[in-house]
Amino acid sequence: MTIPGGTESNNRSSNAIMYFCGAVAMLMFSILAFGNASEWFDYVSATIWLSLAVVLGYRGFRPGPV
């Protein structure tokens, strides 16, 4: 999506920043979940949060259109 009056490079960099911020937030949730894990489903939840952080980080830094 291109914002009217904006350029593709600005749109691309703002998307990458949003993906990076999302990855940092998911990483924090993952750290909290691993730190407080006491049952197997807590570890599964933390692994899911970590996986989402990796996917968002990859999505933000990969070359090509976002």
Side-chain angles (χ1 to χ4, degrees):
M1 180 173 112
T2 303
I3 299 170
T7 62
E8 279 298 316
S9 63
N10 288 342
N11 189 25
R12 190 170 148 65
S13 66
S14 67
N15 282 343
I17 290 170
M18 287 192 316
Y19 281 118
F20 178 70
C21 290
V24 169
M26 295 300 137
L27 186 61
M28 286 191 278
F29 281 124
S30 175
I31 291 170
L32 285 172
F34 273 122
N36 295 322
S38 61
E39 296 288 334
W40 67 270
F41 50 83
D42 294 330
Y43 289 107
V44 170
S45 174
T47 304
I48 291 170
W49 286 115
L50 186 61
S51 300
L52 286 172
V54 169
V55 168
L56 286 174
Y58 173 75
R59 176 86 177 169
F61 290 114
R62 71 182 179 144
V66 177

